[in-house]
Amino acid sequence: MEHVLEVRNLHKDFHTKKGLLKAVNNISLYISRGETLGIVGESGCGKSTTGRAVLRLVEPTAGEVLFEGKSILELKPAQMRNMRRDMQIIFQDPFASLDPRISISEIIAEPLRVFNLYKKQGGERRVAELMDLVGLSKRLVNTFPHELDGGRRQRVGVARALALDPKFIVCDEPVSALDVSIQAQILNLLQDIQQRLGLTYMFISHDLNVVKHVSNRVAVMYLGKIVETTTSHNIFTNPQHPYTKALLSAIPIPKVGQKRQRILLEGDVPSPVNPPSGCIFSARCPYVMEKCRQQEPPMVEPAPEHTVSCYLVSDEMG
Ligand code: SF4
């Protein structure tokens, strides 16, 4: 299947007072057309920076980002600006990303105005169309963000992201600021418009349960690195990396009387300024061996569409 996005050996470093912070540390991934790749990991693992780096909202330090086969890191600012029509983002906190002084119709119309499309596309009609697409009633057209509940505000954020008819959207924790009861509505909306418009998503979340519902494949990140990638089904039925297993063990089973054996990780997540040598997970892994602390394990493919970086897996493969 054609890859809409391909990321090769992407790095993003930040210079901090404490030293060089490797927020994204040599990650590679692809997303096929119409697919959702979930990116999951604890706060501070680099997943949001990855989402921003592939859109060049933060400039990658090294690596390659190909969008529909075209290397976007070489694009000049004006070319990149045009490319952004196809590549959009939905932010975590809809209220923070919406200007409280302008009405929601103006917020949705803003991208059209930036690209001088408002008049050309019959601005008011297009805004009404977008509001309808995301399930916002016409009567809300002149309301302001603070007058809406969290779910409706996020619908405004989605409508705005759709205004320029993008092909690819980074959904950065789009439901984590919402009440649980509203989360399902927004997830359903995102899936519905994906099918209707043929969109491709990178879906970023700290919540493996949320990621499971929307993703075709899942990449698990820890301290700036991807440690495992596989199908959404496999990540739940056949996780291979000890960190994935620990994340999974924290999810309650909905069936009464059934319990998962919770794997409690010792210690805190190490600082990305001073990550452990060898395997990135070695400081907290219950199965750590001497060689894990010396050299990074290779990324191996124990089954088609399943990649893992762990000696337990590579040793078994021989
Ligand atoms: Fe644990 Fe070693 Fe595997 Fe890393 S390589 S996850 S430390 S067993």
Side-chain angles (χ1 to χ4, degrees):
M1 208 189 274
E2 184 200 355
H3 296 167
V4 168
L5 187 82
E6 202 169 335
V7 172
R8 296 181 191 150
N9 308 107
L10 190 74
H11 292 254
K12 176 60 191 172
D13 301 338
F14 292 103
H15 293 275
T16 70
K17 279 184 190 154
K18 291 182 180 164
L20 193 67
L21 188 156
K22 290 178 174 292
V24 177
N25 190 356
N26 196 21
I27 71 163
S28 298
L29 56 84
Y30 68 87
I31 315 181
S32 302
R33 193 171 297 283
E35 183 185 46
T36 298
L37 175 72
I39 301 205
V40 71
E42 290 162 292
S43 147
C45 70
K47 54 193 188 306
S48 287
T49 307
T50 302
R52 284 166 168 74
V54 301
L55 299 177
R56 289 184 68 187
L57 295 176
V58 295
E59 206 57 49
T61 307
E64 262 189 294
V65 178
L66 304 174
F67 181 73
E68 297 189 319
K70 196 174 195 177
S71 172
I72 67 164
L73 300 190
E74 286 151 23
L75 296 181
K76 301 210 163 62
Q79 293 170 311
M80 192 58 222
R81 191 171 161 270
N82 267 339
M83 188 61 97
R84 290 235 169 79
R85 289 177 62 172
D86 287 336
M87 308 173 82
Q88 291 288 315
I89 185 165
I90 297 168
F91 292 101
Q92 171 181 6
D93 180 351
F95 197 56
S97 67
L98 299 177
D99 186 337
R101 294 159 306 174
I102 60 176
S103 70
I104 65 159
S105 57
E106 284 299 309
I107 288 169
I108 296 169
E110 202 180 24
L112 297 169
R113 291 193 198 282
V114 168
F115 282 89
N116 288 327
L117 296 170
Y118 189 79
K119 281 206 181 114
K120 271 187 224 158
Q121 292 196 355
E124 275 180 33
R125 188 182 44 79
R126 178 71 179 135
V127 169
E129 218 175 75
L130 287 161
M131 287 180 66
D132 187 48
L133 186 64
V134 300
L136 283 169
S137 155
K138 279 195 196 73
R139 68 182 165 79
L140 297 173
V141 72
N142 291 320
T143 53
F144 291 83
H146 70 270
E147 295 176 278
L148 303 180
D149 60 29
R152 287 196 177 89
R153 284 204 298 263
Q154 190 54 295
R155 285 176 196 268
V156 176
V158 175
R160 190 161 96 139
L162 294 175
L164 296 169
D165 243 338
K167 297 175 180 165
F168 169 68
I169 301 182
V170 172
C171 306
D172 186 5
E173 299 267 14
V175 299
S176 44
L178 302 175
D179 288 346
V180 175
S181 57
I182 309 287
Q183 287 188 2
Q185 293 175 18
I186 298 298
L187 293 176
N188 288 342
L189 170 71
L190 289 171
Q191 285 184 295
D192 180 48
I193 54 176
Q194 177 176 37
Q195 277 179 3
R196 284 164 72 175
L197 306 177
L199 295 168
T200 303
Y201 289 156
M202 175 185 280
F203 190 98
I204 295 166
S205 176
H206 66 282
D207 187 337
L208 195 47
N209 221 7
V210 166
V211 163
K212 173 194 171 191
H213 285 294
V214 294
S215 307
N216 302 94
R217 288 182 303 118
V218 178
V220 180
M221 273 189 86
Y222 185 80
L223 268 188
K225 286 188 180 286
I226 291 178
V227 295
E228 181 163 11
T229 308
T230 187
T231 60
S232 186
H233 176 74
N234 258 351
I235 216 96
F236 280 82
T237 56
N238 187 23
Q240 299 279 313
H241 196 281
Y243 179 59
T244 312
K245 290 180 184 176
L247 280 185
L248 202 63
S249 76
I251 300 177
I253 295 179
K255 282 185 192 151
V256 180
Q258 278 194 27
K259 266 191 184 167
R260 269 197 188 101
Q261 179 87 35
R262 179 93 194 252
I263 303 169
L264 288 174
L265 296 175
E266 303 216 338
D268 296 326
V269 181
S271 162
V273 174
N274 191 13
S277 56
C279 172
I280 201 81
F281 191 51
S282 57
R284 296 173 84 199
C285 180
Y287 311 103
V288 63
M289 301 170 273
E290 197 39 48
K291 65 177 170 183
C292 305
R293 295 201 173 91
Q294 283 158 11
Q295 203 173 354
E296 188 177 355
M299 187 64 85
V300 291
E301 194 170 357
E305 294 251 50
H306 197 158
T307 53
V308 193
S309 169
C310 171
Y311 282 120
L312 295 176
V313 181
S314 56
D315 286 356
E316 201 171 295
M317 288 171 67

